Amino acid sequence: MKVLILETAAEAAARTAGIISDCLAALDRPVLGLATGGTMEPVYTALVELHRNGKADFSNATTFNLDEYVGLSPNQRGSYSRFMQDALFSRVNLDPARCHLPRGNAEDPIAEAKRYEDAIAAAGGIDLQLLGIGRNGHIGFNEPISSLSGRTRVKTLTESTRRANARYFPSANAIPRYAITMGIGTILDARHCLLLATGGGKSAAVARMIEGPVAAYCPASALQMHPQATVVLDRDAAADLRLIHYYQEIHPGGREPKIP
Ligand code: F6R
């Protein structure tokens, strides 16, 4: 696992956007896995800026988002589809036909999850999977004790996750109880996993993910098993790491080392 520690949340988001734009430039037909949530907003803002400056071309890209709430239609307030439209899809040169999210309003959400998993495989798998982390260690909507080899499926959200996302909904009753999410096995199949965490509220989960045991109780700890996982942090999110000085020595300022 590569741990990059930046001073501020803005710098961490910019570093993350830079890794994504490098992937876009390096591959002929990049397949990106995308995430939503507050942490990702400055990443998408930075990507839009890079695009406007001619430094991020999405024309050949395909995207698959991690998750979507069950019961919400694509344009509905609070849906991840709408979040992505507003934050990125409508602001860069992505082909709408190649932007995928699970269909939250599918008649049969279980069948929809299977269809989504198959669609990722049919696209050749994911080159770069962007991830955030919940305070309880979730990735995607794989809540604690999710199978570490699970595939895309319907999951029940914890109360703490529902509370954390309440700001996107008009009332507490409107917050969905279920989501379709890529499984941890699906996420680990991505060729590169890139997780961004910012703010002190995430520091305990970040420490368990990086330095704790691999355990379903902290789903993000499964990234320890991935051969190419990069974690980008700001100082506050990195605060509980025991080996922080070691990570900073290897990647000073979050940069790649200059090996003589
Ligand atoms: C969103 C997702 C979640 C979020 C996580 C952190 O697609 O899969 O795992 O990344 O809940 O959310 P924020 O960034 O709002 O703290």
Side-chain angles (χ1 to χ4, degrees), residues 35-215:
T36 56
T39 314
M40 297 304 145
E41 286 173 22
V43 176
Y44 294 137
T45 303
L47 276 175
V48 170
E49 192 61 26
L50 285 170
H51 172 67
R52 288 189 179 145
N53 294 330
K55 292 180 183 152
D57 177 14
F58 292 82
S59 58
N60 290 323
T62 297
T63 68
F64 286 93
N65 264 78
L66 281 165
D67 39 22
E68 179 59 284
Y69 293 108
V70 168
L72 298 196
S73 54
N75 259 328
Q76 204 166 331
R77 180 168 165 197
S79 77
Y80 282 166
S81 175
R82 178 152 166 195
F83 176 102
M84 290 307 303
Q85 282 298 336
D86 294 347
L88 186 72
F89 296 165
S90 64
R91 303 166 73 196
V92 297
N93 61 337
L94 269 163
D95 177 351
R98 290 204 301 265
C99 298
H100 306 278
L101 284 96
R103 289 187 298 231
N105 60 349
E107 217 163 272
D108 180 348
I110 294 171
E112 170 61 11
K114 166 94 176 73
R115 184 201 65 79
Y116 197 69
E117 178 82 26
D118 292 346
I120 295 170
I126 290 171
D127 293 305
L128 177 64
Q129 177 64 58
L130 181 60
L131 298 160
I133 183 171
R135 284 171 185 240
N136 63 5
H138 73 223
I139 48 175
F141 273 138
N142 295 282
E143 300 282 30
I145 76 149
S146 291
S147 160
L148 296 186
S149 59
R151 313 305 306 188
T152 306
R153 68 214 181 289
V154 176
K155 284 292 293 177
T156 310
L157 304 178
T158 60
E159 269 311 307
S160 74
T161 297
R162 293 180 70 231
R163 265 200 309 277
N165 291 343
R167 65 191 185 281
Y168 295 109
F169 294 91
S171 71
N173 282 343
I175 311 167
R177 289 183 184 283
Y178 302 97
I180 297 172
T181 180
M182 284 187 204
I184 295 172
T186 320
I187 292 169
L188 294 181
D189 280 351
R191 289 177 272 281
H192 183 184
C193 286
L194 173 63
L195 186 142
L196 171 66
T198 54
K202 299 287 174 70
S203 63
V206 163
R208 285 192 291 131
M209 162 176 67
I210 297 174
E211 296 175 338
V214 174

